[in-house]
Amino acid sequence: MQLSVPYVSFFVERFDEILALTVEHVEIIAVAMGLAIPIGVTVGVLISFNERVASTVIWLTGIMMTIPSIALFGLLIPVLGIGSPPVIFALVMYSQLPIVRNTYTGISQVADAQTEVGEGMGMTRKQRLRYVQLPIALPVIMAGLRNAVIIIVGVAAIGAFIGAGGLGDLIFKGIRLQNMNMIVVTTVVLSLLALTLDYGLGVVEQLLRLHNGEEIERAKLTHAIWSVIA
Amino acid sequence: MSLLVESIQYLFDNFETFLQLLQEHVFLVVVAEVAAVLVALPVGILATRNDAVKRYALRVGNVFHTIPPLAVIALVFPFVGIGMKSGFVALWAYGLLPILINTITGIEEVDESTVEAARGVGMTENQILKSVQLPLAVPVIFAGIRTSTIINVGNGYLAFFIGAGGLGDWVVTGIALFNNPQILAGAIPGALLAIGLDLALGRVENRLRTGDEPGQRSTTAAA
Amino acid sequence: MTSTIIDFENVTKEYPDGTVAIEDISFSVEEGTTTVFVGPSGCGKTTTMKLVNRLEELTSGKIYYDGQEIRSLDKIDLRRNIGYVIQEIGLFDHMTVAENVGMVPTLLEWDRARIDDRVDELLDLMDLPAETYRDQHPMELSGGQRQRVGVARALAADPDVMLMDEPFGALDPITREKLQDEFLEIQAQIDKTILFVTHDIDEALKMGDKIAIYRNGQIVQYDTPKEILTNPANDFVREFIGSDRLIKELKFMTAGDVMDETADVTGKTLSELGAAGVEFARNGQGYLTVERSETTHVALMKIYEGHVEGVLVTEGEEVVGTVTEADLKRNLSEGR
């Protein structure tokens, strides 16, 4: 308890600033996901039509992800300058592997019988996607988005170093000023943000599964929300 | 294009420093990785022997998985201080998880009937582990080591912030000084190192396992 | 003469790898009848069905749907006019029962209220009360219920033709028989043209007005069940029907088909008959009777079990004829 008092008082004193940076952090994530989801899902759907293209594209998204983020920022700065543009660009790149891969696997795991029945009852290719493949793939895609968000929360924090703002700002400042309270409190807030988003998106994924009629083990929150909806 | 030429120029003009930084970076990653394997592997094996340990390890692992690398690195700093040592601790801690998780799942995934058969021919639990489960789990465990290594090549850059040296030096200094050639001279080799390592380790992994589905490649997270 | 709705003219389907799935097949399906394609697996029966809704395209020959060559019709429209049922995996597990049944009407852009009414109507027809089953997911239903939903879905847009690919294949024997009976009743009400694929000859004999027996991509016999039972075209058909062919025949004929209506008990009720009736249908317990619509197989069982020579055939209370072991023998194909 003794140990935590200075952290608590730091948190209380700087609450407004921490809150503002958290909001900024979430905004960066939202913008990045807003761009990454349509791109990733479209690519995932398109490559589901061709297996060979699919493995190449997924391999490429995997390669993109191995590039260290600081190095990637470094590569992007000469082109996009500093601030949020290079960071958002990098976040979109990093999120492609989980989104593209999960969209692709989600769609390819739909049983052939299901798509064929859709075809047999007169669905066009678009309608098959809309009524059969995408709804069935949605929970898997959601799991990919969840993965992507976790990665993005972390990389966005590093993005503060090149001026994108967010909670990373206070962490870098803390390291520079050797302010332990600042470091500990901000990293805890950042980690809680990641955990909350992970949990929240996990619940959304479970709700989608329940909506699709799957039998799953439900988290408490999922159970509560589901019993209200259903 | 001229920027690229300038970067290469910068690299060769400062080649001694470059080798020094690269060496620091690789050393940091390798030592942290070896230490992570030495801890995660035994704990992972132990976890498969004890349900309570396993549950606990997986639960902690799942929470830990979502904590951003910058948070881990920054958190090490107040407790270990500045310098190479805290860089090791941070990378070691971050490298543990993929190896731990993959060790547990790799051993657990071994077909129950295979284990039953081994039990049936009179093998002890230790013999089963040594000659059945571990050999079959090797590709999965290796995939964890690969993931963990690639993540740590990235984390090596961040470790510069807490005084651990490495290629982060040039990138971070370059960004601060708006020196684009210096940034690229630090960034490109690291990116190539990560990609090259991933491909090389991936090839080893593929040799260890056969008949993997396309797109089921292990996730390597950016840092 | 009834008009034909589907006509195959020298149809061949060859895959790019050179496999010939069906070879030079010709037949016609009359409107409102059930035609069953039966044969060992890989014989081309499912391919034949998929050629009709163009899930597969033919290589040569012609197929007519209601007089029009199917390749001149729009694929999507054609499919929406043809109901399609496959084994239970064909239901969309991620949709509710109502969404499944309402799928084709949704594709046809009916308005919401009309779709809802149609779904309720069909679920009631299938003996799945709408208020209970509408919002359930297929996984919550039994195998038999799922299959009924599948049939309801195929019927939704009131198609003229239904394709059914082993619809009862994944069910246990008891459920299967029950659904077959129910389906025969439903078919009597809805009067659709049905193409039905099965590998089970008993199912074929039970469901079909006409049966096409397949072997290696060719139809070896296309006939009524009775003809197939009594006059198998060759040894393959004979073997396919099985060594219990006579029993199948017995199961196929009803007591009404073979009874002797000239007996002097005809026209009387059972109570009028009293103790003074035909001796050969009576034992210590009294008269043995079968309903007119019951199979000759049942009649024979009763004859053997009751140690009698024959049974009375009844329709309600009234005796309409008699069936003796000799009548049965005379009517079986072997005896002629």
Side-chain angles (χ1 to χ4, degrees), chain A residues 113-124 127-128 131-132 135-136 210-213, chain C residues 50 53 55 76 79-80 84 86 89-95 103-104 106-107 137 139 153:
Chain A
Q114 299 257 301
T115 31
E116 190 169 286
V117 140
E119 198 180 351
M121 63 171 53
M123 288 183 187
T124 60
Q127 286 168 330
R128 283 207 301 281
Y131 291 113
V132 184
I136 296 176
L210 289 173
H211 177 76
N212 276 3
Chain C
K50 286 181 176 175
N53 65 357
L55 283 175
I76 300 294
R79 288 174 187 159
R80 287 177 186 172
Y84 189 44
I86 65 172
I89 37 172
L91 282 187
F92 297 130
D93 292 333
H94 64 288
M95 295 180 183
M103 196 65 246
V104 177
T106 304
L107 295 176
H137 278 274
M139 289 318 234
R153 183 176 68 177

Side-chain angles (χ1 to χ4, degrees), chain C residues 99-152:
Chain C
E99 286 167 338
N100 264 289
V101 176
M103 196 65 246
V104 177
T106 304
L107 295 176
L108 292 169
E109 293 172 5
W110 291 11
D111 65 61
R112 199 65 261 158
R114 187 171 164 215
I115 296 176
D116 287 344
D117 289 347
R118 180 65 178 155
V119 168
D120 291 351
E121 180 192 346
L122 282 166
L123 288 179
D124 287 339
L125 176 70
M126 291 295 146
D127 204 18
L128 295 165
E131 63 272 26
T132 315
Y133 291 100
R134 274 192 79 92
D135 296 325
Q136 294 206 17
H137 278 274
M139 289 318 234
E140 299 169 73
L141 308 179
S142 70
Q145 290 171 328
R146 276 204 287 275
Q147 207 48 56
R148 276 181 251 183
V149 175
V151 173

Side-chain angles (χ1 to χ4, degrees), chain C residues 68-81:
Chain C
Q68 286 168 290
E69 223 262 273
I70 58 163
R71 276 178 296 186
S72 69
L73 300 168
D74 179 70
K75 230 194 268 196
I76 300 294
D77 289 342
L78 176 75
R79 288 174 187 159
R80 287 177 186 172
N81 280 319

Side-chain angles (χ1 to χ4, degrees), chain C residues 8 11 15 38 53 75 89 101-103 122 146 158 171 209 213 302 311 328:
Chain C
F8 273 56
V11 175
Y15 288 103
V38 65
N53 65 357
K75 230 194 268 196
I89 37 172
V101 176
M103 196 65 246
L122 282 166
R146 276 204 287 275
D158 202 15
L171 303 173
D209 295 313
I213 297 185
K302 288 205 171 163
V311 290
L328 292 173

